[in-house]
Amino acid sequence: MAVTIRDVARASGVHVSTVSRSFSAPHLVNPETRTRVLAVAEDLGYRPNRAARALTTGRTHNLGLIVADIANPFFPPLIKAAQAQARLRDYHVFVADTDEDPKAEEDLIQTLTKQVDGVLLCSPRLTNRTIERLREEIPFVLVNRRVKGMPTVLMDVGRGARLAVEHLTGLGHRRLAVVTGPSGSWTSKEMQEAAAAMNEVDVVFLGPNPPTELGGLAAAADVVASGATGVLAYNDLVAIGLVEGLAERGVEVPRDVSVIGVDDIVAGRLGRPKLTTIAMPTAAAGRIAVDMLLQSVDAEAATGVTMLETTLIVRESTGEART
Amino acid sequence: MAVTIRDVARASGVHVSTVSRSFSAPHLVNPETRTRVLAVAEDLGYRPNRAARALTTGRTHNLGLIVADIANPFFPPLIKAAQAQARLRDYHVFVADTDEDPKAEEDLIQTLTKQVDGVLLCSPRLTNRTIERLREEIPFVLVNRRVKGMPTVLMDVGRGARLAVEHLTGLGHRRLAVVTGPSGSWTSKEMQEAAAAMNEVDVVFLGPNPPTELGGLAAAADVVASGATGVLAYNDLVAIGLVEGLAERGVEVPRDVSVIGVDDIVAGRLGRPKLTTIAMPTAAAGRIAVDMLLQSVDAEAATGVTMLETTLIVRESTGEART
DNA sequence: ATACTTTTTGCAACCGGTTGCCGAACCCGA
DNA sequence: TCGGGTTCGGCAACCGGTTGCAAAAAGTAT
């Protein structure tokens, strides 16, 4: 059916090994021979079979990218950047979605193991123990999750949260609420710890919540009940849902309550009010994570933690506290 | 390093072929032997190497899913449904993003060819000619695109567009605008044709536009200039951007202009005004497309067109024309 | 007990590449 | 012209499974 390396060998009158080398070790074959072989290959429409190559080299030239939820707009920029970076290195990325389910996540990793050289785990919901165990089977890079001794790319949400709290207190807010995310989320924990460590403010934590608009919508009642006038939401989706939920209860943003989100997704830049938010360098994270992963794929055991900066972007969803 | 079929064979005192058959052809091996082999395999932590299997069987048990833009919220439900359906059939899905670039799309298909058994092409921007050529290399199923003789899953946007136009004329609008999408888009063409075929309305077409909020934002000026009071946007993202762009020009929705989107994405259900939209059965499309693809993978040459219904959901972005 | 099925297992070739090893051809200087 | 060093290309084993074929084992009928 398909044209193989042997067809090319026959057609160009050389041995298969020469054809193979023409592709994967050019310096070992006479330039003239190589040109001829490549021409014939081109002519026959030959394309190397990556699966076969993987068998001997042990390299599939594929990477796995596992995210909790593709539908969350936080991920696509990261995914795109990772894909682009991988292509640069002649790798392909297989994206998979776990639906926020740790069990599905583990299964996925297991099945992916033989088909990829490494896995990018974005915002995993697994336990540390499980991650450490899985690590034996295949190289990992974690994004948005800290596990001792594993290569990791983090975004400094702690600092972001501090900036957010300072911004709110600067506007005169004295009672704040943090609408937290899913329980397994490192980001959520970071936010909480940073907020809790701030002095001279009264902070209440509401959660856990699903990291979606619906989560924010549902949290609106608690926010109202809490009496907080400044809110830091787990992410922009939650913030958007929250604004909506508050509006349904006659609470207007930013007039009555100020809301800050996280991620700086496009939707937040367009609705009304435009969201004040903590911008995350997701594209950079994707690129860097891929490079770290490739490094640890062939360097046996690379490790290291990269921390990326976050920034506070002030828009319309925060305002002075009413006195 | 990893445990192979031969390790299992040695450890359980049978030939490799027996081990192989214990997994892939159970009825050909004595139940007792099989139980023993499986136990040993389990014990050793053996997992079959899919790449190796692919080499002999010619089946990778992987599917490719190519979308124009993962960041477009239209796709995730489709992707998730496709993934879930594929898992049910013991297949994996590799998602890839083309960034709306036909060239990248073609490259991607080429490289994917050897690693997957079939490809799901969602809203492809390629020319018909290219698609037909690529078809020789690997089984396809198209979503949201019609090419003669190819298995296809469509959503009836034509009907949706007619419903939308009727809704608008019913509200008294006499001059309508259609904000179209990218030039290669089948959906866009369908919408235009359906709208153009409606009598007794004055329709102007504005485009092509990128299928994003920014596209809608940019189209606002043209809409204002066109004098239309009813607008059908290429999708909800465009609609949301458009609403925002109109607001910037002091044009309020639905007071001054009515806007209808397409897709029924979550963001449209939450902003203000909540979008009137044409809902697309994306999850169903994903499921069906996977099944059609798997069918045409082993049935050599299956074909057929599935058309799914769309519905008009009336919310707040449409209202009576001012007289 | 014999001949004939049917089930179970082993053998070995094969899928499509890669790679260590070895010999042939070539180059250079003396 | 000969020895020594390179460069180039062929040979064959191998990666980890699958599968057609046939031998061995077990079962059945006569």
Side-chain angles (χ1 to χ4, degrees):
Chain A
M1 197 79 244
V3 25
T4 79
I5 204 174
R6 304 180 205 261
D7 300 324
V8 178
R10 203 172 310 122
S12 49
V14 299
H15 196 264
V16 290
S17 56
T18 304
V19 178
S20 172
R21 280 191 278 255
S22 295
F23 283 93
S24 43
H27 59 283
L28 288 180
V29 38
N30 186 315
E32 276 177 39
T33 320
R34 175 156 183 269
T35 321
R36 188 156 43 85
V37 169
L38 292 189
V40 172
E42 171 71 35
D43 214 46
L44 265 48
Y46 167 76
R47 334 210 104 241
N49 181 331
R50 300 179 83 132
R53 178 177 300 178
L55 200 51
T56 44
T57 60
R59 286 286 133 82
T60 62
H61 266 244
N62 290 142
L63 298 179
L65 171 50
I66 298 186
V67 300
D69 179 12
I70 317 187
N72 184 334
F74 168 75
F75 291 112
L78 194 155
I79 297 174
K80 285 178 174 240
Q83 281 199 105
Q85 190 72 6
R87 292 199 80 190
L88 243 47
R89 311 272 187 258
D90 194 25
Y91 266 75
H92 275 264
V93 174
F94 298 157
V95 182
D97 178 303
T98 67
D99 257 319
E100 300 272 349
D101 173 5
K103 185 72 178 62
E105 199 169 328
E106 191 175 346
D107 284 356
L108 222 42
I109 296 173
Q110 289 284 7
T111 340
L112 235 47
T113 297
K114 285 290 192 338
Q115 327 197 42
V116 302
D117 298 338
V119 173
L120 238 53
L121 267 184
C122 301
S123 311
R125 309 295 188 223
L126 295 173
T127 62
N128 280 13
R129 180 187 310 285
T130 313
I131 292 178
E132 276 162 10
R133 182 163 53 71
L134 256 22
R135 181 196 192 169
E136 304 296 310
E137 316 206 356
I138 192 168
F140 275 120
V141 166
L142 295 177
V143 177
N144 266 350
R145 172 76 173 258
R146 186 164 223 154
V147 175
K148 189 165 63 73
M150 297 208 49
T152 306
V153 177
L154 298 172
M155 303 181 232
D156 198 346
V157 264
R159 177 158 170 280
R162 282 191 293 279
L163 291 176
V165 170
E166 277 164 15
H167 174 59
L168 290 173
T169 54
L171 289 166
H173 297 277
R174 287 291 163 263
R175 186 167 171 75
L176 307 184
V178 174
V179 176
T180 62
S183 47
S185 162
W186 173 84
T187 305
S188 192
K189 195 158 61 61
E190 279 292 296
M191 278 176 49
Q192 290 180 56
E193 284 173 8
M198 305 286 285
N199 299 322
E200 307 175 45
V201 230
D202 191 12
V203 184
V204 51
F205 298 97
L206 308 172
N209 305 282
T212 62
E213 287 103 330
L214 283 335
L217 198 66
D222 294 342
V223 169
V224 172
S226 76
T229 62
V231 182
L232 174 56
Y234 175 67
N235 66 21
D236 284 350
L237 289 181
V238 171
I240 290 171
L242 178 61
V243 169
E244 180 68 17
L246 291 173
E248 284 176 2
R249 288 173 172 72
V251 178
E252 207 173 289
V253 175
R255 194 194 58 189
D256 307 312
V257 168
S258 288
V259 173
I260 300 185
V262 175
D263 290 353
D264 190 28
I265 66 176
V266 176
R269 297 204 276 269
L270 286 174
R272 254 159 307 164
K274 300 191 200 312
L275 277 185
T276 293
T277 190
I278 303 169
M280 306 278 261
T282 45
R287 272 194 304 277
I288 293 173
V290 164
D291 278 345
M292 287 178 70
L293 185 54
L294 290 181
Q295 214 171 316
S296 76
V297 162
D298 38 42
E300 201 58 27
T303 174
V305 175
T306 305
M307 176 74 87
L308 301 173
E309 270 320 314
T310 56
T311 23
L312 178 70
I313 300 181
V314 178
R315 296 210 183 89
E316 303 168 358
S317 66
T318 47
E320 302 239 332
R322 291 201 293 180
T323 42
Chain B
M1 195 79 244
V3 26
T4 79
I5 204 174
R6 300 178 209 262
D7 299 325
V8 178
R10 203 172 311 122
S12 49
V14 299
H15 195 264
V16 290
S17 56
T18 303
V19 178
S20 171
R21 281 190 278 253
S22 295
F23 284 93
S24 44
H27 60 282
L28 287 181
V29 38
N30 186 314
E32 277 176 38
T33 319
R34 174 155 183 269
T35 322
R36 188 157 43 87
V37 169
L38 293 189
V40 172
E42 171 70 37
D43 214 45
L44 266 48
Y46 166 75
R47 336 208 104 242
N49 181 328
R50 300 179 81 133
R53 178 178 299 178
L55 200 52
T56 44
T57 61
R59 287 284 133 81
T60 62
H61 267 244
N62 290 141
L63 298 179
L65 170 50
I66 298 185
V67 300
D69 179 11
I70 316 188
N72 185 334
F74 168 75
F75 291 112
L78 193 155
I79 297 174
K80 285 178 175 240
Q83 277 197 113
Q85 189 73 6
R87 291 199 81 190
L88 243 47
R89 312 270 186 258
D90 194 26
Y91 266 76
H92 274 264
V93 174
F94 298 158
V95 182
D97 178 302
T98 67
D99 258 319
E100 300 271 350
D101 173 5
K103 186 71 178 62
E105 198 169 329
E106 191 175 347
D107 284 356
L108 223 40
I109 297 173
Q110 290 283 7
T111 339
L112 235 47
T113 297
K114 284 291 191 338
Q115 327 197 44
V116 300
D117 298 338
V119 173
L120 236 53
L121 267 184
C122 301
S123 312
R125 309 294 188 224
L126 296 172
T127 61
N128 281 11
R129 179 187 311 283
T130 313
I131 292 178
E132 275 163 9
R133 182 163 53 73
L134 255 22
R135 181 196 192 168
E136 304 295 311
E137 316 206 357
I138 191 168
F140 275 119
V141 165
L142 295 177
V143 176
N144 266 349
R145 172 76 174 256
R146 186 163 224 154
V147 175
K148 190 165 63 74
M150 296 208 51
T152 306
V153 177
L154 297 171
M155 304 181 231
D156 198 345
V157 264
R159 178 158 168 282
R162 283 191 291 279
L163 292 175
V165 170
E166 278 165 15
H167 173 59
L168 290 172
T169 55
L171 289 166
H173 296 278
R174 287 292 161 261
R175 185 165 171 77
L176 306 184
V178 173
V179 176
T180 62
S183 47
S185 162
W186 174 84
T187 306
S188 192
K189 194 157 61 62
E190 280 291 296
M191 277 176 50
Q192 290 180 55
E193 283 173 9
M198 305 285 285
N199 299 323
E200 306 174 43
V201 229
D202 193 10
V203 184
V204 52
F205 298 96
L206 308 172
N209 304 282
T212 63
E213 287 103 330
L214 283 336
L217 198 67
D222 294 342
V223 169
V224 172
S226 76
T229 62
V231 182
L232 174 56
Y234 175 66
N235 66 21
D236 284 350
L237 289 182
V238 170
I240 289 171
L242 178 60
V243 169
E244 179 67 18
L246 291 173
E248 283 176 3
R249 288 174 172 71
V251 178
E252 207 173 290
V253 175
R255 193 194 60 189
D256 307 313
V257 168
S258 289
V259 173
I260 299 185
V262 175
D263 290 351
D264 189 28
I265 66 176
V266 177
R269 297 203 275 271
L270 285 174
R272 252 157 310 161
K274 300 191 199 315
L275 277 185
T276 294
T277 190
I278 302 169
M280 307 278 260
T282 45
R287 273 195 303 277
I288 293 172
V290 164
D291 277 345
M292 286 179 70
L293 185 53
L294 290 181
Q295 215 171 315
S296 76
V297 163
D298 38 41
E300 199 60 26
T303 174
V305 176
T306 305
M307 176 73 88
L308 301 173
E309 269 320 316
T310 56
T311 23
L312 178 70
I313 299 182
V314 178
R315 296 209 183 90
E316 304 167 357
S317 65
T318 47
E320 301 240 332
R322 292 202 291 180
T323 43

